[in-house]
Amino acid sequence: MGQLSFFSADARPPRLADLAGPLCGPGQAVSVGRGTAARVSAVVPETWRADALLAACAERGVAAEVATSEEGSPLVRTAFHADLVPLAAGWLRGAVKAVPAGFEVDGTVLRLWAVVAGRAVPGGYLMGLDAHAPDTHRPLAEVLARAGLPATLVGARGGGPGLRVSGRRRLARLAEFVGGPPSGCGTGEWPVI
């Protein structure tokens, strides 16, 4: 079983590929102009998450804005940008969201996934999944397992869809990988050792 190649979210400089983190959760990628530009967007439940994702985009040199979704939640979306085309192409099979072949996570991708869709739940920490892309759930469970974070797939009745990381050692490992909580993060919303 492979292990994460970077042990924390601060282990390397930011890169555009880190924006796969939101795509592991409910984030979306859209390509336009016959693949000449793409955008990444994510609806998040709290303002602190929108602020953290907006800052992550800025660190990567990607212009982004916060709007309001139809449901009234914060919506973070990047500008359409040619540099995001490879990321979007990897996560799309036609118009359907799919996990790229050979996809692996590191601490930074896990951190952005947790920013968008992570939360503490009884018995562990839930990495939220996209309810509209059920074909991504098992592959993402396999990605976490290869990273040394085996997780249980949780359905809607269990507060999901999501992947629940549980056990003291696994939770400590997750906390080490994602680093400290972003500014404004509420108690119980971030993995802690």
Side-chain angles (χ1 to χ4, degrees):
M1 175 187 304
Q3 297 297 312
L4 290 179
S5 57
F6 299 100
F7 287 95
S8 78
D10 300 323
R12 62 166 171 72
R15 56 190 182 143
L16 286 176
D18 299 337
L19 295 178
L23 299 176
C24 293
Q28 300 296 313
V30 177
S31 198
V32 296
R34 296 185 184 186
T36 60
R39 142 186 291 172
V40 173
S41 63
V43 175
V44 295
E46 292 101 13
T47 303
W48 72 263
R49 294 175 188 273
D51 294 342
L53 185 53
L54 194 63
C57 289
E59 289 173 350
R60 286 151 186 82
V62 176
E65 66 179 358
V66 178
T68 303
S69 73
E70 292 177 6
E71 299 80 25
S73 298
L75 164 66
V76 179
R77 60 181 171 217
T78 68
F80 282 101
H81 203 281
D83 289 346
L84 293 174
V85 169
L87 178 66
W91 279 86
L92 294 172
R93 301 295 175 270
V96 177
K97 185 175 173 180
V99 178
F103 177 66
E104 300 292 333
V105 294
D106 64 16
T108 305
V109 171
L110 284 170
R111 180 178 182 82
L112 292 180
W113 186 358
V115 161
V116 169
R119 71 180 192 283
V121 294
Y125 191 81
L126 190 73
M127 300 295 282
L129 297 169
D130 190 339
H132 303 290
D135 290 343
T136 65
H137 299 180
R138 289 246 178 258
L140 287 168
E142 293 167 7
V143 166
L144 280 184
R146 284 192 306 271
L149 292 168
T152 303
L153 185 57
V154 176
R157 284 192 275 172
L163 295 168
R164 186 180 62 231
V165 177
S166 57
R168 187 183 57 76
R169 287 192 330 179
R170 289 179 189 151
L171 289 169
R173 184 172 172 83
L174 177 61
E176 178 185 347
F177 291 142
V178 300
S183 178
C185 178
T187 304
E189 294 295 323
W190 201 250
V192 293
I193 298 175

